[in-house]
Each structure stands twice: as structure tokens, then as C-alpha cells.
Amino acid sequence: QVQLVESGGGLVQAGGSLRLSCAASGSIYRINAMGWYRQAPGKQRELVARITSGGTTIYADPVKGRFSISRDYAKNTVYLQLNSLKPEDTAVYYCNANVKPTIVAINYDYWGQGTQVTVSS
């Protein structure tokens, strides 16, 4: 079993910042890409940012220049720094990891429980 646990969400004013963390644990043989997704009320879940095992990053257009994803490989942890927050960033943010579990011969996507980010105007 693999678990992802997010932390760092909260309520902030527009223009403020938050730092989200997600730690993976369990029977992990290898973690490939890790990323963050978000889902706002009435909208589909969307990719926010992703970082590969080699450190290559991608960002969704609405967050480019404001958010930054990073990864601590030794700790199996991914971070998302959210700067210059806007009300439209309000959503539940979910951590994702593509993992090769120790007891399974293929890769699987795992998801955290989500953490609420609310940005007030």
C-alpha cells in the first residue's frame, strides 16, 4: 500500500502565499512523476504542476509564474509554493504520484485526500 498525505492548505488573502507539502510512504519501489491537481466547485479536476523523476517541471497556464513545484527525493516529498494567490485559485488541491509499488510489477497513480486552499478577495 502507498499513501500520500498533503498539508499546508488554508485561508489566505489575495496576493498571499501558501506552501503545500505531500509525503509519500508505504511499499514504494520507485516514484516516477509527482504532481498537484486541483478541483474547484463546479469544475473538473485539472493539472496544476508536475515534476518528473528527472526534475523536469510543467505548469498549467493559469499558474505559470506564480506557483513553483519542487521535490525532495530522499524524503519522497513534493512541494507546491503558491504565490500571488488569486480568488480563482480557490480549490481542493490533490497530490498525485505515479509509483512502482514493491509488490506489483506495474506503475500506479496514487492520490492524496486533498487539502483546501481558499483565497479571499
Side-chain angles (χ1 to χ4, degrees):
Q1 180 76 287
V2 176
Q3 298 85 36
L4 303 180
V5 179
E6 303 109 327
S7 62
L11 174 64
V12 298
Q13 289 184 294
S17 298
L18 285 173
R19 180 176 167 88
L20 308 183
S21 300
C22 172
S25 62
S27 300
I28 299 171
Y29 179 79
R30 181 183 66 248
I31 300 179
N32 303 306
M34 302 186 78
W36 291 92
Y37 293 70
R38 68 185 182 186
Q39 187 167 21
K43 300 181 67 175
Q44 295 183 353
R45 185 175 296 187
E46 64 179 4
L47 173 70
V48 177
R50 186 176 69 184
I51 183 167
T52 70
S53 60
T56 302
T57 59
I58 60 170
Y59 296 92
D61 286 340
V63 308
K64 287 180 179 177
R66 299 189 297 120
F67 293 5
S68 180
I69 189 169
S70 60
R71 183 170 172 175
D72 187 326
Y73 295 89
K75 296 181 179 179
N76 288 336
T77 300
V78 65
Y79 306 92
L80 186 68
Q81 180 69 42
L82 300 80
N83 298 321
S84 302
L85 283 162
K86 305 174 181 179
E88 50 262 45
D89 295 319
T90 296
V92 178
Y93 284 70
Y94 296 92
C95 179
N96 168 265
N98 186 260
V99 178
K100 165 64 172 68
T102 300
I103 63 173
V104 184
I106 61 174
N107 300 316
Y108 288 94
D109 278 310
Y110 292 88
W111 295 88
Q113 80 287 345
T115 184
Q116 178 71 48
V117 171
T118 302
V119 184
S120 62
S121 60

